Amino acid sequence: MSFVKRHPDLLVSIVLLIILALFAVFFVNFSIPPFEDAAMLMRYSDHLAHGYGIVWNIGEHPVDGATDFLFMVSVAALMKIGIPLGRAVRVLGLFSVAALTLLIYWVNRRLWKSHIVFAMLSALFLAVGTGLTYVAAYFGTPFFALFAALTWTLSLVLIQKENPPLWLSSLFRVFRFDHRIDST
């Protein structure tokens, strides 16, 4: 039996990632500078990575200006292991778009039992849609969207299970997308 007949979903996943990569290389302008809001969050991440805390200006008091806490901390963590600021933002963004593309495909196939063509078209809509444009502008939107989709997917899985295991409920809490600091 051929590989294609035995593993069509794996093959489609590879094709989706290839299309995403080709679209990114040929149709997305990655030479643009960060947009204003993205640059602000990058500044907080840079200061956090260098040990100054979540501050706008070094030496001042911490601020509650970082709109996406988990993204900011993740960028700072990548910087701590040696990845430059802009590249760290883009790595997270590209990973998020790729993971979200695959998540859309696999949820449609496994959870909703969608036909392979329709699942692929749904995932392709994201792969060649605006997700990469956000990455090019240095926004954390794809990262946020990935956690929103993971949370939604896990909630659907939990709803379908009559007596969900504790690990699945715990995973829902970990992937909950609203990882912001509440200053109230």
Side-chain angles (χ1 to χ4, degrees), residues 66 102 181:
L102 293 177
I181 295 176

Side-chain angles (χ1 to χ4, degrees), residues 22 28 62 99 138:
L22 290 173
V28 180
Y138 294 88

Side-chain angles (χ1 to χ4, degrees), residues 5-182:
K5 287 186 179 183
R6 285 184 295 160
H7 305 288
D9 290 323
L10 183 59
L11 182 66
V12 169
S13 296
I14 292 167
V15 167
L16 283 168
L17 292 176
I18 290 170
I19 290 170
L20 175 67
L22 290 173
F23 187 81
V25 168
F26 292 109
F27 297 105
V28 180
N29 180 8
F30 287 104
S31 66
I32 61 174
F35 282 28
E36 182 180 346
D37 287 352
M40 292 168 61
L41 194 58
M42 290 170 68
R43 182 175 174 137
Y44 291 125
S45 297
D46 187 45
H47 290 164
L48 182 62
H50 288 98
Y52 301 113
I54 305 169
V55 296
W56 181 250
N57 292 317
I58 297 170
E60 292 184 358
H61 292 289
V63 294
D64 186 19
T67 55
D68 194 342
F69 181 74
L70 183 60
F71 179 71
M72 177 193 60
V73 170
S74 299
V75 169
L78 288 177
M79 289 180 66
K80 286 301 259 186
I81 62 171
I83 300 174
L85 176 60
R87 197 165 286 145
V89 170
R90 291 235 171 109
V91 162
L92 279 177
L94 289 169
F95 170 79
S96 298
V97 171
L100 192 51
T101 298
L102 293 177
L103 181 68
I104 290 169
Y105 176 76
W106 283 94
V107 165
N108 278 307
R109 287 290 289 149
R110 296 293 183 238
L111 197 60
W112 301 119
K113 311 292 186 226
S114 177
H115 187 276
I116 196 166
V117 172
F118 297 119
M120 183 177 178
L121 288 174
S122 296
L124 199 56
F125 183 76
L126 175 77
V128 298
T130 59
L132 290 173
T133 305
Y134 286 113
V135 175
Y138 294 88
F139 281 111
T141 307
F143 187 78
F144 182 82
L146 175 62
F147 278 87
L150 284 169
T151 303
W152 183 248
T153 300
L154 285 170
S155 66
L156 293 173
V157 170
L158 286 168
I159 289 169
Q160 287 185 345
K161 296 209 176 279
E162 196 166 306
N163 200 6
L166 179 61
W167 71 267
L168 192 57
S169 299
S170 300
L171 193 60
F172 175 78
R173 177 62 183 116
V174 169
F175 282 138
R176 202 181 108 234
F177 69 92
D178 192 12
H179 291 281
R180 299 180 184 164
I181 295 176
D182 187 5

